Amino acid sequence: MSMTGYILRCARFPNPQGHASVTRILHKVVHPYSGQGSLFIRRFAHNRAGDADFTSIVDNPPILVRSGNRHGPGLIILALIPITAFALGTWQVFRLGWKSEMIAKFEDRLIKPPLPLPPRIDPEAIKDFDYRRVYTTGRLCHEQEMLIGPRIHDGKDGFLVVTPLERENGGSTVLVNRGWIPRSKKAQVGRTGGLPVGQVTVAGLLREPWKKNMFTPDNDPDSGQFYFPDVRQMAELTGSDAVWIEETMTPDLLLAYDREARGIPIGRPAEVNLRNNHTQYIFT
């Protein structure tokens, strides 16, 4: 089946007034797929390529127009991510240097010979002797003993035993952190072996007062509940100086088991136990 179609051909002829004009001439053609030619007539009849006001998209490409703000919050956040990461990494580098220098200073103090603790101590000067090994002699005031807990040692629950040491020869009374005992030995009746009487010599580390974090509850001295070693508070409660000594012992597994069974406090090793994870933080 065939169809009759039309095409438009443009020719330029002079008109009677002498001006050029365009005459559209229709030529009849046969389309192989339709019996009607009106579709082609309408298609080409509406073509504006010959209009004087027609502009091709090729000659005049579209212009993208941004509406609203020039930069949205998402772009600002993306820009802040590398800046913030760089700032945090730089801060961790400084923190790494500061912490490494502090640990090296404390370890240098540990290898020095122990000092006898002076009769009188200025609490403000302790920061210059933090982690310095000292020893002193006196009587442990077990009637003023304070238990700080809960504290975990090798996966077991227990307490730190803090006892005032009344020193001889007119020396001031200081606080001694004697070490850890299990919860089952909380009562003094069950650990008489860990309550020495008379003059004893205590060797340990002179430490600065601890700093309490925001998650630790406040102590309740009236009920004997201590969750944090508030050195100044404990000193006022016992009439001692705000001087904190952590008793040390040589790490020995069998000795630790024997002390735990008898209720004798297990002292800490003479080492720096400060964490230094700033190298990891730099890369994360």
Side-chain angles (χ1 to χ4, degrees):
M1 180 175 64
S2 63
M3 62 159 273
T4 301
Y6 296 87
I7 63 173
L8 299 177
R9 177 175 295 176
C10 298
R12 186 180 296 275
F13 298 95
N15 61 13
Q17 288 77 20
H19 299 285
S21 64
V22 178
T23 304
R24 292 179 174 85
I25 303 174
L26 300 180
H27 291 272
K28 189 173 183 180
V29 297
V30 177
H31 194 280
Y33 301 108
S34 174
Q36 302 294 330
S38 60
L39 175 63
F40 293 92
I41 295 176
R42 290 194 301 269
R43 177 178 297 176
F44 288 100
H46 289 83
N47 191 345
R48 299 183 59 191
D51 295 348
D53 297 332
F54 177 77
T55 303
S56 173
I57 192 173
V58 177
D59 299 329
N60 189 17
I63 300 176
L64 296 178
V65 179
R66 184 187 297 274
S67 60
N69 297 330
R70 184 177 180 85
H71 300 295
L75 183 61
I76 297 176
I77 293 175
L78 288 177
L80 288 176
I81 289 176
I83 297 174
T84 304
F86 176 78
L88 291 176
T90 303
W91 178 67
Q92 290 295 343
V93 170
F94 285 107
R95 291 278 296 176
L96 173 63
W98 168 77
K99 182 64 73 67
S100 300
E101 182 180 352
M102 183 172 61
I103 292 176
K105 178 177 63 177
F106 291 158
E107 289 178 344
D108 181 66
R109 292 175 181 175
L110 282 175
I111 64 176
K112 294 180 179 180
L115 292 173
L117 196 66
R120 298 292 173 182
I121 303 171
D122 181 7
E124 300 300 327
I126 293 179
K127 62 179 182 297
D128 297 325
F129 295 88
D130 198 13
Y131 275 97
R132 188 64 192 268
R133 292 193 295 159
V134 297
Y135 63 91
T136 188
T137 302
R139 182 185 70 88
L140 290 170
C141 303
H142 301 295
E143 67 277 4
Q144 293 181 309
E145 179 184 88
M146 295 164 286
L147 301 180
I148 301 176
R151 287 293 187 273
I152 303 300
H153 178 75
D154 291 340
K156 299 178 182 178
D157 186 21
F159 302 92
L160 294 179
V161 179
V162 179
T163 309
L165 179 70
E166 189 179 71
R167 297 192 291 163
E168 59 183 6
N169 300 326
S172 61
T173 302
V174 297
L175 297 174
V176 178
N177 174 13
R178 301 183 59 208
W180 178 88
I181 59 171
R183 180 173 288 274
S184 59
K185 299 295 183 179
K186 180 179 179 180
Q188 292 186 356
V189 177
R191 51 183 172 92
T192 54
L195 304 173
V197 296
Q199 296 294 317
V200 296
T201 298
V202 174
L205 302 179
L206 186 63
R207 294 299 316 279
E208 272 195 289
W210 292 26
K211 295 180 180 179
K212 178 177 177 293
N213 61 47
M214 60 182 298
F215 302 104
T216 304
D218 295 331
N219 295 334
D220 186 7
D222 295 335
S223 62
Q225 298 292 328
F226 294 92
Y227 306 99
F228 172 78
D230 189 332
V231 177
R232 290 181 176 84
Q233 181 189 57
M234 292 179 168
E236 293 178 1
L237 186 64
T238 59
S240 308
D241 285 351
V243 178
W244 181 265
I245 299 175
E246 295 184 351
E247 190 171 2
T248 58
M249 60 173 285
T250 302
D252 188 318
L253 185 60
L254 295 180
L255 179 60
Y257 285 155
D258 179 66
R259 281 177 169 253
E260 180 180 347
R262 297 167 57 190
I264 302 175
I266 301 174
R268 57 160 295 170
E271 61 185 21
V272 179
N273 56 357
L274 299 178
R275 291 182 297 176
N276 189 6
N277 297 327
H278 296 288
T279 302
Q280 176 183 349
Y281 297 155
I282 291 173
F283 295 100
T284 56

